[in-house]
Amino acid sequence: MSGNDFVVVANRLPVDLTTADDGTEKWIASPGGLVTALTPVLSAHQGCWVGWPGVADAAPEPFRTDDGVLLHPVSLTSDDFERFYEGFSNATLWPLYHDLIVTPTYSRSWWQAYRDVNHRFAVEVDRVAAHGATVWVQDYQLQLVPGILRQMRPDLTIGFFLHIPFPSPDLFRQLPWREEIVRGLLGADVIGFHLKANADNFLQLVRSVSGVSGGHTGLPDSFEVTGHASVREITAHVTSSDGRSVGVAAYPISIDPTDLVEVDKAHVAKLREQLGADTTLLLGVDRLDYTKGILQRLNALEELLADGALAPEDVTFVQIATPSRERIEHYQRTRSAVEEAVGRINGRFATLGHPVVHYLHQSLPKPELQAYYAAADVMVVTPFKDGMNLVAKEYVATHGDGSGAMVLSEFAGAAAELNQAYLCNPFDMESAKQAIVQAVQGLKRTPEVTAERMRAMHAQVIEHDVDLWAQAFLDSLKKAQ
């Protein structure tokens, strides 16, 4: 298979394998902003998506989606999944890039698997990419792919985008294979991050890590920022060891708000009735990940109830926790602690027929999730560290009428744009408690001010959607050709 002028490379294909009751299998489109953003681009450019199909040891033939996008599977064994994905990607890089919330594991065996799988992805891209094609590599699992591809196919224009934070140089230098990772990234023509701070960290790292660059250009002490505050470009470049100029820029990712603007009002009303029409409904929606601060927000709620700042009969908290990486020990511990806290809070404060906390450890269909967004009075988003957090933007998109309020961690990337939220420091229990109380009281005591804050955030999200994010990055990549 060859001749594709535009190729997206990601750890996962944009489809999930489902099995019907009669045993037949079918590929269905995965939800998610990245899929929504890139599918039209791929369709328009005779495009191809290279990725793992999500099933270990599966090797399906390439196939096309209903939109005409060619999906080119990369096969991973069960051992690859354990060492490359669960191991190096999510027990080494993930905690390192999230500021050591848990301690990373540095395993030479995992590193070998990471190199091998990245090489395998690069080989598959080489097979499908036309001469002079544009290749866009996605995220932390594939940081070596740009460098490998550059050696294999110097004719390609290569972009890389990191969807999680990039750590400070002092933290990154812990990684035993730091030079190899940086060299891999510098194989790209443009490297994109969510925030200027992430790009700054990378640029400082390139200065300090030996053996990765043949010189630097355009690296002033403070970087000029051009364009709208929500579509930033840092005018900085580094020179790779082979003499190429590599652009480094910030492009905050966003959502497709189209399906979130209109809601099923009857469904929302029914949900409110079930959860307590007269109570203040607080909502958390997260992957069950230790970076998301789920336990801490539950502890904050418990203290507020114990202090009398919130009355149990006046509030209902719904926590939707999507299962995530359940074989990894830190995730198992997180789930156990969260579920223990839910039981403890309800044991202390619930009354017959009115649990204070409703907990769902499951994935919900998009329409159902949208109903929860619309029904919630207060969205609570309190990650210790997050590249962006699209849940925050999805909630805001659902409240174009100015209803609702949002408690938002200052360490979520979204806080740079959604600064009308009630910001808090999730490491500080008093800060989190204060933000929750301010949001609840703001809805009752200063509804006009609270509505104005929500409408300002809604306008920001609607104007700066995922299409703008994708186009901004691709425009930069086109200039690099």
Side-chain angles (χ1 to χ4, degrees):
M1 307 291 290
S2 61
N4 297 282
D5 295 323
F6 184 71
V7 180
V8 168
V9 195
N11 177 60
R12 281 293 306 274
L13 288 174
V15 290
D16 294 319
L17 183 62
T18 62
T19 304
D21 293 338
D22 61 2
T24 59
E25 295 182 336
K26 181 181 179 182
W27 296 98
I28 62 170
S30 303
L34 186 64
V35 176
T36 303
L38 296 181
T39 296
V41 180
L42 285 161
S43 299
H45 289 82
Q46 193 182 352
C48 175
W49 189 305
V50 175
W52 176 51
V55 181
D57 300 304
E61 292 297 316
F63 58 99
R64 292 193 180 273
T65 66
D66 294 339
D67 298 306
V69 175
L70 176 64
L71 302 185
H72 188 88
V74 178
S75 179
L76 297 183
T77 66
S78 298
D79 182 64
D80 291 330
F81 180 78
E82 181 178 341
R83 295 194 297 138
F84 155 73
Y85 182 74
E86 292 184 327
F88 196 82
S89 294
N90 290 310
T92 301
L93 293 177
W94 182 267
L96 176 64
Y97 283 32
H98 287 84
D99 292 352
L100 311 185
I101 294 172
V102 302
T103 303
T105 299
Y106 300 121
S107 162
R108 286 176 288 183
S109 171
W110 291 356
W111 165 247
Q112 183 63 51
Y114 186 83
R115 287 198 309 176
D116 291 347
V117 171
N118 271 247
H119 185 268
R120 200 177 313 160
F121 270 80
V123 167
E124 297 304 323
V125 174
D126 178 39
R127 290 178 179 174
V128 301
H131 182 82
T134 295
V135 177
W136 192 1
V137 184
Q138 308 288 331
D139 223 2
Y140 65 105
Q141 302 96 339
L142 302 177
Q143 292 175 105
L144 301 181
V145 169
I148 298 170
L149 271 180
R150 180 64 57 194
Q151 295 180 7
M152 298 172 65
R153 293 286 301 276
D155 60 292
L156 299 176
T157 300
I158 304 170
F160 178 88
F161 191 86
L162 184 69
H163 291 269
I164 65 174
F166 194 84
S168 71
D170 285 344
L171 293 183
F172 187 89
R173 283 200 296 269
Q174 289 188 13
L175 186 66
W177 308 280
R178 58 197 187 185
E179 288 88 356
E180 290 93 331
I181 293 288
V182 175
R183 279 199 296 269
L185 292 172
L186 289 176
D189 295 290
V190 175
I191 304 171
F193 301 89
H194 285 309
L195 302 177
K196 179 182 181 295
N198 300 148
D200 284 343
N201 284 344
F202 178 74
L203 291 166
Q204 293 167 20
L205 175 71
V206 172
R207 286 195 188 110
S208 60
V209 174
S210 63
V212 299
S213 178
H216 313 281
T217 63
L219 289 170
D221 291 333
S222 62
F223 303 107
E224 179 186 357
V225 178
T226 60
H228 190 280
S230 186
V231 185
R232 304 188 189 103
E233 288 193 23
I234 302 171
T235 54
H237 293 78
V238 297
T239 303
S240 65
S241 57
D242 58 358
R244 294 176 303 101
S245 178
V246 179
V248 179
Y251 311 86
I253 198 171
S254 193
I255 63 169
D256 177 9
T258 307
D259 295 334
L260 293 164
V261 175
E262 297 294 332
V263 298
D264 184 341
K265 294 181 180 179
H267 189 184
V268 174
K270 181 179 179 181
L271 190 59
R272 281 304 309 235
E273 187 65 30
Q274 292 173 332
L275 293 170
D278 297 328
T279 65
T280 299
L281 178 58
L282 296 89
L283 175 66
V285 177
D286 311 83
R287 282 190 310 104
L288 191 51
D289 188 296
Y290 55 79
T291 66
K292 300 299 184 181
I294 301 172
L295 177 62
Q296 285 65 29
R297 80 180 62 139
L298 289 171
N299 289 340
L301 174 68
E302 184 174 17
E303 289 195 12
L304 289 170
L305 293 168
D307 295 344
L310 297 178
E313 64 272 17
D314 292 338
V315 296
T316 300
F317 193 101
V318 174
Q319 177 62 57
I320 300 168
T322 304
S324 176
R325 303 166 188 165
E326 296 195 287
R327 301 199 314 177
I328 298 177
E329 182 180 359
H330 286 296
Y331 290 80
Q332 294 171 348
R333 291 179 185 173
T334 298
R335 177 180 178 180
S336 178
V338 165
E339 293 178 354
E340 179 182 337
V342 171
R344 187 178 64 247
I345 294 170
N346 282 330
R348 291 183 66 185
F349 301 106
T351 56
L352 188 63
H354 179 62
V356 180
V357 180
H358 296 261
Y359 172 74
L360 300 177
H361 181 240
Q362 57 190 258
S363 299
L364 295 183
K366 191 171 182 179
E368 185 72 13
L369 191 57
Q370 181 182 349
Y372 276 98
Y373 286 146
D377 297 302
V378 180
M379 188 80 206
V380 187
V381 183
T382 55
F384 292 124
K385 190 76 171 181
D386 222 335
M388 180 54 65
N389 195 292
L390 296 182
V391 162
K393 293 188 174 184
E394 289 173 347
Y395 176 78
V396 167
T398 310
H399 288 263
D401 60 356
S403 63
M406 184 162 60
V407 174
L408 180 61
S409 165
E410 62 189 67
F411 300 109
E417 298 171 73
L418 305 181
N419 53 18
Q420 293 292 321
Y422 294 90
L423 299 177
C424 71
N425 175 3
F427 295 93
D428 179 358
M429 182 65 70
E430 294 305 319
S431 175
K433 289 165 59 179
Q434 183 181 37
I436 292 171
V437 170
Q438 286 177 336
V440 172
Q441 292 182 346
L443 290 168
K444 299 175 180 178
R445 298 180 182 178
T446 56
E448 299 85 1
V449 175
T450 303
E452 183 179 349
R453 294 169 72 148
M454 183 57 71
R455 281 193 288 266
M457 292 190 289
H458 181 265
Q460 167 74 19
V461 170
I462 296 300
E463 182 180 355
H464 301 93
D465 62 7
V466 70
D467 290 334
L468 187 62
W469 165 79
Q471 196 56 56
F473 186 93
L474 293 174
D475 284 348
S476 295
L477 198 54
K478 187 175 182 180
K479 294 174 185 177
Q481 291 178 332

